[in-house]
């Protein structure tokens, strides 16, 4: 049974991110399963650090994008939206070329918060980064500054 409140097409999701950071660095959402979301990111001049390997920040962009999309697909966006509260990432293996793939799955789906785990693998399927993001579920009209 799917966990999603709505299930837009991958094309719609990718179009919504085209003019944002994720679109500029080539991130693409590639699969929407019943309880997971997959996306890819090229390792190229946009995403490498000066030593020629995938920048850790690019991995975090992939993780946060997947977690944020997943969190917002779970809620009724007419009433709520989800924003990141905390993210961490453990970079386990460098990646110098190809495409990395991230898979986001929920760990906790609560009324006021969600926790997602994102596993990022290299082109050979080896784990290169593992990340966890905590998302706040906010009702529309609520002032976040209070």
């Amino acid at each position: 049974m799917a966990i999603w409140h709505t299930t837009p097409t991958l094309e719609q999701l990718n179009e919504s991110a085209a003019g944002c950071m994720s679109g500029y660095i080539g991130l693409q959402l590639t699969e929407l399963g019943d309880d997971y979301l997959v996306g890819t990111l090229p390792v190229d001049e946009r995403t490498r650090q000066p030593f020629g390997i995938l920048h850790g920040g690019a991995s975090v962009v992939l993780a946060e994008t997947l977690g944020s999309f997943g969190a917002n697909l779970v809620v009724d966006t007419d009433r709520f939206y989800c924003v990141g509260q905390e993210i961490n990432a453990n970079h386990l293996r460098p990646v110098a070329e190809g495409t990395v793939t991230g898979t986001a799955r929920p760990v906790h789906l609560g009324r006021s918060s969600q926790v997602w785990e994102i596993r990022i693998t290299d082109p050979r399927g080896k784990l290169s980064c593992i990340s966890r993001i905590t998302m706040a579920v906010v009702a529309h009209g609520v002032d976040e500054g209070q």
Side-chain angles (χ1 to χ4, degrees):
M1 183 170 156
I3 62 172
W4 315 119
H5 187 269
T6 61
T7 52
T9 67
L10 290 172
E11 181 180 15
Q12 290 169 322
L13 293 173
N14 284 313
E15 283 177 13
S16 72
C20 301
M21 176 188 262
S22 55
Y24 293 130
I25 63 172
L27 193 155
Q28 287 287 305
L29 302 177
T30 59
E31 186 178 350
L32 184 63
D34 284 346
D35 66 346
Y36 65 92
L37 183 60
V38 178
T40 59
L41 183 68
V43 181
D44 62 19
E45 67 282 350
R46 297 170 292 178
T47 58
R48 283 189 192 105
Q49 45 113 303
F51 296 111
I53 60 174
L54 181 64
H55 193 292
S59 295
V60 174
V61 170
L62 176 57
E64 182 142 3
T65 300
L66 292 172
S68 292
F69 267 114
N72 280 286
L73 289 173
V74 170
V75 299
D76 178 353
T77 55
D78 289 334
R79 299 177 52 213
F80 302 97
Y81 62 99
C82 299
V83 293
Q85 282 188 305
E86 189 273 341
I87 189 165
N88 67 53
N90 296 102
H91 307 289
L92 307 172
R93 176 177 281 110
V95 182
E97 59 186 12
T99 299
V100 293
T101 302
T103 303
R105 293 182 188 277
V107 175
H108 167 74
L109 299 174
R111 287 183 311 195
S112 60
S113 69
Q114 298 180 19
V115 177
W116 289 76
E117 179 184 81
I118 303 90
R119 299 174 72 85
I120 300 173
T121 57
D122 70 11
R124 298 171 298 154
K126 302 255 187 190
L127 189 63
S128 66
C129 178
I130 188 164
S131 179
R132 187 178 62 223
I133 187 168
T134 302
M135 303 293 296
V137 179
V138 181
H140 285 291
V142 173
D143 183 2
E144 293 178 42
Q146 294 185 2

